[in-house]
Amino acid sequence: MQVALARRVAGGRCRFVARSGRVTRPRSCRRRTYLRARGTARWTLRIRHRLPRGRYVVAARSYDAHHQRSRVRTRSARVR
């Protein structure tokens, strides 16, 4: 399972949470940075630093045993 955490900023751009736990520079919301998550019903992420305060959008994608990525692109794959 992979999860992208994004924080929207001015100008319709996003700042993504990187592996280090810090946020990236503002960029297009379509260029996501995915983090590896563990778990099935509940996800656990290893982030080294505290996240800045604010609202985040979570986008999820999964892979099966043959490393085929999920193709469903619906609003249900994103959580606010």
Side-chain angles (χ1 to χ4, degrees), residues 5-70:
L5 292 171
R7 182 175 179 205
R8 289 211 112 156
V9 294
R13 298 172 72 83
C14 293
R15 297 182 76 179
F16 291 94
V17 177
R19 290 181 187 171
S20 64
R22 300 182 192 263
V23 291
T24 62
R25 293 178 186 231
R27 62 181 180 190
S28 170
C29 294
R30 292 184 181 195
R31 281 187 40 210
R32 297 181 179 140
T33 300
Y34 283 94
L35 303 172
R36 189 174 182 195
R38 296 184 186 266
T40 54
R42 292 182 183 216
W43 302 324
T44 303
L45 296 173
R46 287 190 173 191
I47 299 174
R48 295 182 189 136
H49 294 87
R50 291 196 122 194
L51 296 177
R53 295 182 77 173
R55 290 184 175 184
Y56 290 85
V57 176
V58 178
R61 71 180 179 190
S62 61
Y63 289 87
D64 63 7
H66 298 287
H67 299 286
Q68 296 174 344
R69 189 173 69 203
S70 60

